[in-house]
């Protein structure tokens, strides 16, 4: 048969609902507390707003906050903003806590940038670059920057591009800059190219410093350019070649 509740409306209810009607395995109508329903839970209360991400504010209530925003049209999540311009936009600081307790010099957490495989998502992604935090033991730290390089025949390998140590020394091609300031390490001859874009911005413009074997080279590639060595500044004594 059927069960019918006469004169039911939202205006003539009295009291606070305590039980939920259900059926047992034999089809009998029973009343049980919401929390006693197998696989179920108690009554959920709360309210929300369109575009806001819902979260539990207590064990039985859901709410939302304007600082956690979902743009369903563009599939974008905003934290601290209600107008995200990218897939994820955060207004404020982001903290990455490493779980490492190592006292050795080692890399810790990383931020990885990937590119979709030409064959589609089913074939995975290529790592393009990454940024990794580094500890030198204790409270001192630095950063390592990596890029990926083609090794031929569809093979790719990761390569250290630049590092910054705990003394603010910068290493290019090395994660252990041994001198103060900028350190450039390359097995086939380190090369520093200085270019004035007002006169040209190609590989044949500007000046350079390089090491070829045990020979140190300093040159000016500009047509009609000069090479000047000063002991103090541009107004001091110097040699012009």
């Amino acid at each position: 048969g059927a069960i019918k509740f006469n004169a039911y409306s939202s205006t003539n209810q009295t009291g606070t609902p305590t039980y939920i009607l259900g059926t047992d395995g034999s089809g009998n109508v029973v009343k049980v507390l919401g929390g006693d329903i197998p696989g179920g839970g108690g009554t959920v209360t709360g309210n929300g707003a369109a575009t806001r991400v819902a979260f539990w504010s207590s064990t039985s209530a859901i709410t939302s906050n304007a600082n956690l925003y979902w743009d369903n049209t563009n599939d974008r999540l905003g934290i601290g903003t209600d107008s995200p311009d990218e897939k994820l936009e955060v207004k404020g600081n982001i903290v990455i806590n490493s779980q490492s307790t190592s006292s050795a010099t080692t890399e810790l957490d990383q931020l990885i940038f990937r590119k979709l495989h030409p064959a589609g998502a089913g074939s995975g992604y290529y790592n393009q670059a990454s940024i990794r935090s580094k500890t030198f033991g204790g409270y001192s730290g630095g950063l390592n920057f990596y890029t990926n390089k083609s090794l031929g025949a569809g093979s790719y390998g990761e390569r250290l591009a630049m590092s910054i140590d705990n003394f603010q020394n910068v290493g290019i091609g090395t994660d252990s800059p041994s001198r103060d300031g900028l350190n450039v390490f390359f097995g086939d001859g380190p090369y520093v190219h200085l270019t004035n874009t007002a006169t040209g911005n190609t590989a044949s413009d500007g000046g350079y410093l390089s090491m070829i074997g045990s020979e140190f080279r300093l040159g000016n590639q500009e047509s009609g350019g000069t090479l000047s060595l000063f002991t103090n500044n541009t107004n001091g004594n110097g040699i012009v070649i």
Side-chain angles (χ1 to χ4, degrees):
I3 298 176
K4 180 179 180 181
F5 297 93
N6 295 317
Y8 173 79
S9 73
S10 60
T11 59
N12 63 1
Q13 297 181 42
T14 59
T16 301
T18 303
Y19 295 94
I20 296 175
L21 290 180
T23 58
D24 62 16
S26 300
N28 300 314
V29 176
V30 295
K31 66 174 185 179
V32 292
L33 291 170
D36 294 334
I37 298 177
T43 302
V44 177
T45 63
N47 55 68
T51 72
R52 293 185 184 180
V53 179
F55 58 88
W56 293 94
S57 60
S58 70
T59 57
S60 60
I62 290 178
T63 188
S64 64
N65 188 291
N67 288 318
L68 194 56
Y69 179 92
W70 176 249
D71 179 350
N72 200 49
T73 301
N74 299 298
D75 295 336
R76 297 172 181 169
L77 178 64
I79 300 177
T81 176
D82 60 2
S83 55
D85 293 322
E86 299 296 340
K87 291 298 182 183
L88 173 64
E89 181 173 338
V90 179
K91 184 178 181 181
N93 298 326
I94 299 176
V95 177
I96 300 176
N97 290 320
S98 173
Q99 301 304 304
S100 172
T101 58
S102 175
S103 60
T105 296
T106 184
E107 291 181 334
L108 300 174
D109 304 292
Q110 61 181 318
L111 178 63
I112 302 174
F113 302 89
R114 291 178 173 173
K115 177 184 177 183
L116 184 65
H117 191 283
S123 298
Y125 290 80
Y126 287 116
N127 281 9
Q128 297 288 289
S130 64
I131 303 172
R132 301 178 187 176
S133 63
K134 183 178 182 180
T135 178
F136 296 91
Y139 300 102
S140 58
L143 290 173
N144 284 349
F145 299 81
Y146 289 83
T147 56
N148 268 38
K149 179 182 179 181
S150 174
L151 302 177
S155 177
Y156 294 83
E158 187 176 65
R159 186 173 184 178
L160 176 69
M162 185 177 72
S163 65
I164 304 174
D165 71 9
N166 52 322
F167 295 103
Q168 292 77 55
N169 299 321
V170 176
I172 296 178
T174 177
D175 66 350
S176 301
S178 56
R179 299 286 184 177
D180 292 344
L182 176 63
N183 297 253
V184 182
F185 286 60
F186 282 104
D188 54 355
Y191 189 98
V192 178
H193 191 184
L194 307 174
T195 302
N196 181 351
T197 56
T199 58
N201 59 4
T202 70
S204 300
D205 296 309
Y208 67 90
L209 298 90
S210 68
M211 284 293 298
I212 306 298
S214 59
E215 178 189 1
F216 174 73
R217 294 184 181 182
L218 175 65
N220 185 350
Q221 301 177 130
E222 295 287 349
S223 177
T226 59
L227 182 63
S228 302
L229 304 176
F230 290 93
T231 57
N232 186 10
N233 52 48
T234 55
N235 296 318
N237 298 323
I239 300 174
V240 178
I241 302 173

